[in-house]
Amino acid sequence: MMMNQYLVIAYDFTDDGALERRMAVRPAHLEGTRQLRQTGNYILGGAILDDHGRMIGSTMVLQFDSDGQLEAWKKQEPYITQHIWEKIEIRPFKVAGAI
């Protein structure tokens, strides 16, 4: 059975310390992404950049067997728990051509 796919679009907080906070938490976020890749839950992702090339958010395409697994991921994702992402939109998604 095919897993449910999700598009995550998240924008960082915009306070003066936001980028520094992101950079401090980034290694934990990337480790979580590696773990998601190993379990087959990660499809793709990357940083949203402003006009000057600075990271201001993230986009990810993830897949899970259930909405419950998505909720469990949200509870442990460092960019959520450490207040990096201020606005998060998660939408059902389907990768074109996915089997």
Side-chain angles (χ1 to χ4, degrees), residues 24 67 70 99:
D67 289 345
L70 171 67
I99 297 173

Side-chain angles (χ1 to χ4, degrees), residues 2 4 9 17 25 29-30 33 35-37 42 58 61 66-67 70 77 81 87 93:
M2 189 168 166
N4 300 320
I9 303 170
V25 174
H29 166 73
L30 293 176
T33 299
Q35 291 173 10
L36 288 171
R37 182 175 288 136
Y42 176 88
S58 307
V61 178
S66 68
D67 289 345
L70 171 67
E77 164 55 51
T81 63
K87 179 183 176 203
F93 192 76

Side-chain angles (χ1 to χ4, degrees), residues 11-31:
Y11 289 94
D12 295 356
F13 281 90
T14 57
D15 57 273
D16 288 340
L19 182 58
E20 291 78 17
R21 218 168 40 253
R22 174 187 253 270
M23 298 311 290
V25 174
R26 191 165 185 248
H29 166 73
L30 293 176
E31 177 56 32

Side-chain angles (χ1 to χ4, degrees), residues 1 8 10 12-13 17-20 24 27 51 57 60 65 78 82 84 96 98:
M1 177 181 236
V8 179
D12 295 356
F13 281 90
L19 182 58
E20 291 78 17
D51 293 339
M60 300 175 79
D65 287 325
Q82 300 300 308
I84 305 306

Side-chain angles (χ1 to χ4, degrees), residues 73-90:
W73 167 77
K74 287 167 49 179
K75 289 180 181 172
Q76 59 80 39
E77 164 55 51
Y79 278 0
I80 295 174
T81 63
Q82 300 300 308
H83 308 289
I84 305 306
W85 291 337
E86 180 176 29
K87 179 183 176 203
I88 305 164
E89 180 178 1
I90 300 176

